[in-house]
Amino acid sequence: MTETVPTGSSIPHNTGARVELAPEAFPADSPFANEDLRPVPVAERKWTTYNFAALWISMAHCIPSWTLASGLVALGMDWKQAVFTIALANIIVLFPMLATGHAGPKYGIPFPVLARASFGLRGANIPALIRAAVACGWFGIQTWIGGSGIFALGSKLTGGHWEDAGKIAGNPWPLWLCFILFWALQIAIIYRGMDFLRHFENWAAPFVIAGALVLLIWIAVKADGFGALLDQPSKLGWGSDFWPVFFPSLMGMIGFWATLSLNIPDFTRFGASQKAQTWGQALGLPTTMTLFAVLAVLVTSGSEAVYGEAIWDPVALAAKTDNAFGLLFALIVVLVATISVNIAANVVSPAYDLSNLAPKFINFRTGALITGVVGILIFPWKLISTPEFYIFTWLGVVGGLLGTVAGILIADYWIVRRTVLHLADLYTPGGRYWYANGWNWRAIVAFVVGGLLAVGGSYSAVGADGKKTGPFPVDGLIPFLKPLADYGWAVGLATSLLLYVALMLPKGKEQEGLAA
């Protein structure tokens, strides 16, 4: 069912309907509108179940996903505990993913435009810029990892000469060159647009799966079975030592994809139906991440049997081969795997988010270029320096803030508005979502309170050497909030959701668009 809705008309309460804004109803001259932010016409919403599943398969099959299990094992878990933690986290994060993704196929709008309904036309820049900042960080991390992979395999192909090259800022200059070239390749691909990205993800997904299976077969043949890693007992057990590590790790694993739980409308706006995005994501995300974690454990176990040490980095493991064809194949797999996740997860969103900041001056392509530049300036190599810093500091804090935003979006779209939005007003000053000069103070209050409870108690543990493992005080930024820090994503989501509903639905207020 398709509804063409002129300005000011009502929208049916049929959540299965796909709503379209009539061309003459779109306020193109509004300072809050441009072609990249306008609703996608129904005729152009073509992504199928396979497209969404392929998107998730190609995004999940990346080097950071592979090494998530290694980070958890380094913290003392055995492989079963690590895989369980990863699987549970991705099942949990799937629910907000589907909840926020619903608005995409129905209305054809991206994440920052959806956020206008709750935060206001101007206030939406707060969640948009937070999401953009996180994406820029992730873009830099993935680009550094991909460039490092190219350097490692290229150095192997050249007989190790790259390792001996002159150094710049402590690293061989070919490593910096690989980093910059890989950066430029990704920017060039995203400049081709979203339809090109869809085609790229379609063939990247099966290719990367094939590459991972080839790696498994190769190491299984060399190992004549698998090594002792699968038999290693947990250093934590399942008692009192396990749970203090499990919960912050679970929040960190949720934080790994918490970014996409916000901006998934950036992709589902191209969905052919709700069924396509629901089944595509349900089949693509939790299953792929769990299987990939198991695959990583099996391959790493085999590496221990062959080389006497557990090699969690698939690039380092592939570099062990002396076969030139094998190295080239591994290099291509690393390229495709990293590009597919980095562009989809970390360039599309900030491109829209930055466009939302100044629609008349920043379009999708300009936003993508800004993302790339900021991704270099945040020094991504420092964000992944240790497992503790990566999982607890980066993923944990990011997850707490993003969970807070997700709670407000879900509360507004599903509870306050019952999935009913008025499209033209999402672009029009003075409309339903203008609130107080473009700001909804209720959403701001819910965000501040939820974010404070989620990350206010952030703390750093003390390592075996007696030094802090992160940038926060040992007792927490706000000591009495420290007990909540290990549950940041859940605390932020639940607090902001409940508080927002309480503020938006007092007795006597209308359900659809409140005046300030």
Side-chain angles (χ1 to χ4, degrees):
M1 176 181 176
T2 301
E3 296 288 337
T4 300
V5 185
T7 304
S9 68
S10 61
I11 299 176
H13 288 250
N14 180 350
T15 59
R18 291 196 295 165
V19 179
E20 187 172 48
L21 191 63
E24 66 275 11
F26 180 70
D29 58 344
S30 167
F32 299 94
N34 66 21
E35 286 302 308
D36 293 313
L37 297 176
R38 76 180 300 159
V40 175
V42 168
E44 297 177 20
R45 301 177 201 173
K46 300 177 180 178
W47 286 36
T48 65
T49 297
Y50 175 77
N51 293 141
F52 286 111
L55 176 73
W56 275 113
I57 292 171
S58 58
M59 286 200 298
H61 287 170
C62 60
I63 296 173
S65 294
W66 183 283
T67 56
L68 280 181
S70 67
L72 295 178
V73 171
L75 294 173
M77 294 186 184
D78 63 18
W79 75 271
K80 295 185 292 295
Q81 292 171 329
V83 170
F84 168 72
T85 304
I86 292 170
L88 180 59
N90 284 279
I91 291 173
I92 292 173
V93 82
L94 177 64
F95 289 98
M97 200 88 66
L98 296 177
T100 54
H102 185 278
K106 183 171 182 178
Y107 296 103
I109 54 176
F111 155 65
V113 175
L114 174 63
R116 293 175 181 179
S118 51
F119 282 85
L121 270 68
R122 288 183 171 138
N125 283 317
I126 292 178
L129 288 178
I130 290 173
R131 174 63 184 96
V134 172
C136 289
W138 269 120
F139 177 80
I141 288 173
Q142 292 275 15
T143 303
W144 179 257
I145 289 173
S148 299
I150 297 169
F151 170 78
L153 296 175
S155 182
K156 180 75 174 182
L157 283 170
T158 59
H161 294 303
W162 285 7
E163 299 280 356
D164 301 324
K167 293 187 176 182
I168 299 175
N171 292 302
W173 68 261
L175 173 57
W176 294 109
L177 180 61
C178 291
F179 175 59
I180 295 301
L181 290 177
F182 188 56
W183 176 92
L185 177 61
Q186 294 173 100
I187 297 298
I189 291 176
I190 199 63
Y191 256 60
R192 298 291 300 275
M194 288 294 292
D195 199 51
F196 180 81
L197 176 63
R198 175 171 65 93
H199 292 298
F200 179 82
E201 299 290 349
N202 283 348
W203 71 262
F207 179 78
V208 174
I209 291 175
L213 292 176
V214 167
L215 187 61
L216 176 64
I217 294 170
W218 171 67
I219 197 66
V221 170
K222 291 183 71 69
D224 194 24
F226 293 102
L229 185 69
L230 297 179
D231 297 324
Q232 288 294 317
S234 170
K235 297 176 183 178
L236 305 173
W238 287 95
S240 58
D241 291 334
F242 173 70
W243 301 110
V245 175
F246 168 74
F247 284 110
S249 297
L250 179 68
M251 295 299 108
M253 295 304 102
I254 290 174
F256 190 77
W257 288 124
T259 50
L260 268 294
S261 70
L262 291 186
N263 75 282
I264 195 65
D266 293 343
F267 300 96
T268 60
R269 67 192 297 228
F270 299 98
S273 65
Q274 291 295 345
K275 180 179 178 181
Q277 73 100 3
T278 301
W279 280 104
Q281 294 200 78
L283 293 173
L285 172 59
T287 55
T288 299
M289 286 294 291
T290 302
L291 290 174
F292 209 49
V294 171
L295 188 62
V297 167
L298 291 175
V299 171
T300 304
S301 178
S303 73
E304 187 174 46
V306 175
Y307 300 107
E309 61 175 327
I311 304 175
W312 286 96
D313 185 347
V315 174
L317 181 58
K320 292 286 187 180
T321 182
D322 294 322
N323 184 287
F325 175 79
L327 285 169
L328 285 172
F329 178 75
L331 181 60
I332 294 172
V333 171
V334 167
L335 276 170
V336 173
T338 308
I339 289 173
S340 64
V341 64
N342 213 17
I343 292 177
N346 304 317
V347 179
V348 172
S349 171
Y352 284 126
D353 296 336
L354 293 168
S355 179
N356 186 73
L357 181 65
K360 296 304 180 184
F361 301 98
I362 303 176
N363 60 20
F364 181 82
R365 288 179 170 84
T366 306
L369 182 59
I370 295 173
T371 299
V373 173
V374 175
I376 294 176
L377 297 179
I378 51 90
F379 303 137
W381 45 91
K382 294 185 179 294
L383 293 178
I384 54 173
S385 55
T386 67
E388 292 84 3
F389 193 95
Y390 178 49
I391 292 177
F392 294 155
T393 303
W394 172 246
L395 293 181
V397 172
V398 161
L401 290 176
L402 297 180
T404 302
V405 176
I408 294 170
L409 294 184
I410 293 170
D412 183 79
Y413 183 70
W414 285 97
I415 301 175
V416 175
R417 307 190 190 281
R418 309 293 176 88
T419 77
V420 176
L421 299 175
H422 297 263
L423 280 177
D425 285 342
L426 289 170
Y427 303 88
T428 307
R432 288 178 176 84
Y433 312 113
W434 188 239
Y435 300 104
N437 201 29
W439 298 82
N440 182 6
W441 65 266
R442 301 166 184 85
I444 305 300
V445 169
F447 172 74
V448 171
V449 174
L452 184 65
L453 294 178
V455 304
S458 297
Y459 65 93
S460 297
V462 177
D465 58 358
K467 297 181 179 179
K468 292 192 304 178
T469 58
F472 302 118
V474 173
D475 293 331
L477 288 172
I478 304 176
F480 75 90
L481 293 179
K482 181 179 178 180
L484 300 178
D486 290 345
Y487 314 93
W489 181 83
V491 169
L493 187 144
T495 301
S496 63
L497 187 151
L498 294 174
L499 181 56
Y500 183 81
V501 170
L503 293 173
M504 287 291 283
L505 292 180
K507 185 177 181 180
K509 292 292 186 179
E510 294 183 1
Q511 185 177 15
E512 299 177 12
L514 305 179

